[in-house]
Amino acid sequence: MTGDSGIHDAATRIHAAIRAVPRGQVAGYGEIARRAGLPGRARLVARLLSRGDVQGLPWHRVLRSDGRIAFPEGSVGHAEQCARLRAEGVVVERGRVVGMARARPLAESLDAALWGPPGG
DNA sequence: CTGATGACTGATA
DNA sequence: CTATCAGCCATCA
């Protein structure tokens, strides 16, 4: 397939990944990028949303890795996303979405990794 | 090509 | 918890 790119454009995959998020559910930029098959392209996802190339996209379901809204508090986008999330039954506290789990950080010290968890 | 910017992420202090 | 630094990727001047 020469004319056809064989694989859809990254934007299309990201677009599908965002649309794949069910109502009342949220996902992170890295999560969307990963689902789209583009690990490490979290910034690309954010860039697409900022462009607004596509309509009907549940961009409000896309949050940062911390589960926080990408927009700064007090911004129009922040209020918009917060309102849309609450409209879907999502709980938002202090600009942060409740129910958003995050990966655990690595051992800050080698000793901690060697000694492992206490009591074990 | 170089430098700066951004709806990002993870680690460190 | 907040603040700061470094890394990575894509686009624009």
Side-chain angles (χ1 to χ4, degrees):
Chain A
M1 303 33 171
T2 53
D4 186 56
S5 36
I7 56 176
H8 298 96
D9 293 325
T12 304
R13 290 191 287 201
I14 292 170
H15 168 205
I18 296 174
R19 280 171 62 88
V21 181
R23 181 175 170 280
Q25 183 77 17
V26 295
Y29 289 91
E31 186 75 9
I32 295 297
R34 186 175 291 276
R35 287 186 180 191
L38 305 165
R41 277 36 171 205
R43 288 184 121 164
L44 182 58
V45 177
R47 222 185 70 75
L48 290 175
L49 297 180
S50 73
R51 286 178 70 93
D53 283 343
V54 183
Q55 293 252 342
L57 200 65
W59 57 270
H60 56 265
R61 292 181 194 151
V62 188
L63 312 166
R64 284 176 63 162
S65 60
D66 298 336
R68 280 206 9 132
I69 294 179
F71 290 106
E73 188 179 356
S75 257
V76 184
H78 181 280
E80 180 73 9
Q81 187 165 8
C82 182
R84 284 176 177 267
L85 288 171
R86 285 181 173 177
E88 297 193 347
V90 179
V91 182
V92 182
E93 287 291 339
R94 288 171 57 92
R96 153 172 37 180
V97 172
V98 180
M100 184 79 173
R102 66 191 133 109
R104 295 172 297 168
L106 267 57
E108 62 179 81
S109 176
L110 182 61
D111 292 342
L114 294 175
W115 281 92

